[in-house]
Amino acid sequence: DLQAEELDEIVTSHKGVYDGFGEISHYSPERSGQTPDDPVSLEMYKVAAKHGLIVMFHPDKNQRSKVENALQKNPNTKFLLHGPEAEDYITDLMKKYPNVYYSIDAILIRVPPIPGGLLYTTNTKEEFKTTFTKNFDVLLNRAVNDWKAKIEQHPDRFMWGTDRAYTWHHDEEVSVLVEEFARAFIGRLYPEVQEKFAYKNAERLLQDG
């Protein structure tokens, strides 16, 4: 709910505290009528560019043109996107805009043909563990088929994330499975890409700020 002037004042008075702001959840009902290129957001991006902040947002469906407009108008702002709504066009944006990045997280772990990530299409820790264990090879092969070529096409701008929300997502047993899957997936990428995707791209994005 911040305005650009408020953001500028906060960051200016707390030098070195912030590397970015977000996640801005454009899919949320609470943000109804707001888009990645609405006037308030465009002013916020100017402040982000001024201070070298990363802007992270999760676009809603059918917002591709809005996302692209925001990128086009703010070439000096670093944007980190995530969410399944953008996965079909993220590589097209990367070809045109060098300031856009994307984190692949819970959406990676999903059972075909369900589009949502397994963490968000199961309701309990036990259901997640059962479905995950039963379908591990299917999940991994699907993820590799969906993302390997895209990551290797833009090896400096994709990064791994987790995107956990509910209490049981943070359970230690669930965390172990998510980490197991991440390592298995990263192991299927070309060796020269593995460390970049695993942590170096994120590290560099933060340090560049």
Side-chain angles (χ1 to χ4, degrees):
D1 296 327
L2 286 175
Q3 298 294 310
E5 295 81 4
E6 295 173 295
L7 176 65
D8 190 29
E9 182 180 347
I10 291 171
V11 177
T12 299
S13 60
H14 296 81
K15 290 288 187 183
V17 173
Y18 300 102
D19 289 308
F21 66 89
E23 168 192 359
I24 305 171
S25 304
H26 285 290
Y27 62 87
S28 171
E30 297 174 356
R31 299 192 67 83
S32 178
Q34 301 177 12
T35 66
D37 66 342
D38 63 42
V40 173
S41 295
L42 292 177
E43 290 302 312
M44 297 280 277
Y45 304 153
K46 293 178 183 178
V47 176
K50 173 184 174 181
H51 294 283
L53 301 177
I54 303 159
V55 178
M56 182 180 184
F57 67 78
H58 183 149
D60 200 359
K61 58 184 180 296
N62 302 319
Q63 285 189 337
R64 174 174 178 165
S65 63
K66 303 291 186 181
V67 172
E68 186 159 6
N69 190 37
L71 298 176
Q72 188 177 45
K73 290 183 175 180
N74 296 274
N76 297 319
T77 304
K78 298 185 291 289
F79 291 94
L80 174 59
L81 275 62
H82 91 144
E85 293 84 354
E87 64 182 68
D88 289 339
Y89 59 82
I90 188 61
T91 54
D92 291 338
L93 295 182
M94 287 180 173
K95 291 174 185 176
K96 298 172 67 175
Y97 306 102
N99 57 325
V100 62
Y101 300 80
Y102 189 85
S103 70
I104 302 174
D105 32 57
I107 62 173
L108 192 67
I109 311 174
R110 60 188 181 201
V111 179
I114 301 172
L118 189 60
L119 283 172
Y120 294 94
T121 54
T122 51
N123 297 311
T124 64
K125 164 186 166 181
E126 290 72 23
E127 184 183 356
F128 173 82
K129 288 173 58 181
T130 299
T131 307
F132 178 92
T133 304
K134 181 180 178 181
N135 295 280
F136 183 86
D137 290 336
V138 173
L139 293 165
L140 182 59
N141 290 332
R142 167 69 180 269
V144 170
N145 290 337
D146 282 353
W147 290 105
K148 178 178 167 67
K150 294 178 180 179
I151 294 169
E152 291 169 353
Q153 184 181 11
H154 300 280
D156 297 319
R157 289 196 275 157
F158 281 101
M159 59 199 74
W160 169 248
T162 55
D163 190 33
R164 306 185 218 185
Y166 306 130
T167 301
W168 65 267
H169 288 177
H170 301 275
D171 181 272
E172 184 174 358
E173 293 179 27
V174 173
S175 296
V176 167
L177 295 180
V178 172
E179 290 161 10
E180 176 188 359
F181 187 88
R183 290 170 179 156
F185 175 79
I186 292 168
R188 297 279 289 272
L189 302 175
Y190 286 136
E192 60 269 27
V193 178
Q194 291 175 359
E195 286 190 336
K196 289 184 176 183
F197 177 74
Y199 72 94
K200 284 188 174 180
N201 288 344
E203 187 176 68
R204 177 174 49 83
L205 183 61
L206 290 167
Q207 290 174 343
D208 287 348

